[in-house]
Amino acid sequence: MSHYAALDIAGLHFRYPDGTAALNGVNLHVHEGDRVGLLGANGAGKSTLLLHLNGIHIPESGTVSVFGIAVQKKTLREVRQRIGLIFQNPDDQLFCPTLYDDIAFGPRQMGMSEHDVRHRVDHAVEEAGLNPDLLQKNVYHLSFGQKKLASIATVLAMDARILVFDEPTIGLDPRARKSIMRLLRRIGRTQIVASHDFGLLRDTCTRVAVLHKGVVSAEGAPAQILDDDLLLKRNDLS
């Protein structure tokens, strides 16, 4: 195990071009193997923070480090091999003619042989709990729940050590939601899970961090955070 934190965010500030301050000094420290829930009201800065983790946004000031590598334009390739972002809408992640091609896209971009790509795809499909019979289907013919699993498989195929989920259970029926929750518990990797789904955070996370007005305002065990009505109210969550 690396002596670096899996993810270290220190003094992170970010302002959008129109002058809106989205992050106002975020500090968050994540150890390898942690599953950290990220909770915050709409507008608290969650999505902006997630987009910094793999360099879609670059810090205005402060730092984001992934296993000791600072997220900068020159390190994006290295960073993105270590941390994978699973978007809220799977259609933002799936764009190839077949599911196989979508899952194979990342390994192919890494220059892997087609034999090794096939191995990565098969392993990712198994880990995500997808039916291998779907691999030659067009992703637009998949159900929303299958697309969610498929978008996770595209990141698993990259063998990312940190998985970042943006609202992984939103829009799912109860059966598909349970399937995603089981998957998150089963995957033995560091996870950041941004969600308003208290049940998901309670059942899958080791810790919950609350984001409020662009800063981490509270951190603790899931029950400690989610059962504190006063804390939730102070942070516009109830």
Side-chain angles (χ1 to χ4, degrees):
M1 187 179 290
S2 168
H3 65 282
Y4 293 109
L7 177 66
D8 195 40
I9 302 168
L12 180 62
H13 288 77
F14 184 79
R15 186 181 298 270
Y16 282 102
D18 68 359
T20 302
L23 302 176
N24 298 305
V26 172
N27 296 294
L28 187 64
H29 193 77
V30 179
H31 294 288
E32 192 157 17
D34 281 354
R35 294 198 300 269
V36 177
L38 192 61
L39 182 62
N42 291 333
K46 295 193 306 301
S47 294
T48 305
L49 177 57
L50 297 188
L51 294 175
H52 277 83
L53 302 187
N54 73 343
I56 294 173
H57 288 329
I58 299 296
E60 182 181 292
S61 67
T63 58
V64 178
S65 298
V66 178
F67 292 105
I69 302 167
V71 178
Q72 302 168 345
K73 286 182 179 172
K74 65 183 180 183
T75 62
L76 291 185
R77 186 178 177 85
E78 280 182 281
V79 166
R80 287 172 180 170
Q81 287 177 5
R82 289 165 174 78
I83 188 165
L85 178 56
I86 296 105
F87 294 104
Q88 179 174 323
N89 183 352
D91 288 333
D92 292 339
Q93 201 133 5
L94 305 170
F95 50 83
C96 292
T98 67
L99 177 56
Y100 181 91
D101 289 326
D102 262 313
I103 301 172
F105 182 83
R108 283 172 174 161
Q109 291 296 107
M110 291 164 66
M112 297 177 72
S113 72
E114 205 55 36
H115 175 271
D116 289 342
V117 167
R118 176 84 215 192
H119 179 74
R120 283 284 186 98
V121 171
D122 288 344
H123 184 71
V125 165
E126 183 180 357
E127 195 172 5
L130 273 167
N131 184 342
D133 294 343
L134 299 174
L135 281 172
Q136 297 310 318
K137 282 190 177 291
N138 186 304
V139 292
Y140 297 111
H141 296 152
L142 303 182
S143 71
F144 188 73
Q146 288 169 334
K147 286 181 183 181
K148 280 274 194 179
L149 292 175
S151 65
I152 294 170
T154 65
V155 174
L156 294 175
M158 293 289 287
D159 202 25
R161 291 168 67 184
I162 304 175
L163 303 180
V164 180
F165 296 91
D166 188 5
E167 296 286 359
T169 56
I170 199 165
L172 296 177
D173 62 37
R175 184 176 177 181
R177 175 178 173 271
K178 284 179 184 173
S179 176
I180 291 287
M181 288 171 67
R182 281 196 301 270
L183 174 60
L184 267 58
R185 285 197 300 266
R186 194 171 72 238
I187 296 172
R189 307 183 194 212
T190 308
Q191 296 173 34
I192 312 293
V193 184
S195 180
H196 291 107
D197 183 339
F198 280 26
L200 169 74
L201 298 177
R202 196 183 295 277
D203 289 352
T204 64
C205 293
T206 54
R207 189 165 107 240
V208 172
V210 179
L211 202 61
H212 183 60
K213 296 183 178 177
V215 298
V216 174
S217 60
E219 276 188 79
Q224 180 186 346
I225 299 294
L226 301 175
D227 294 340
D228 188 334
D229 292 338
L230 187 58
L231 183 151
L232 296 176
K233 191 170 184 178
R234 269 202 317 266
N235 289 279
D236 303 323
L237 289 162
S238 69

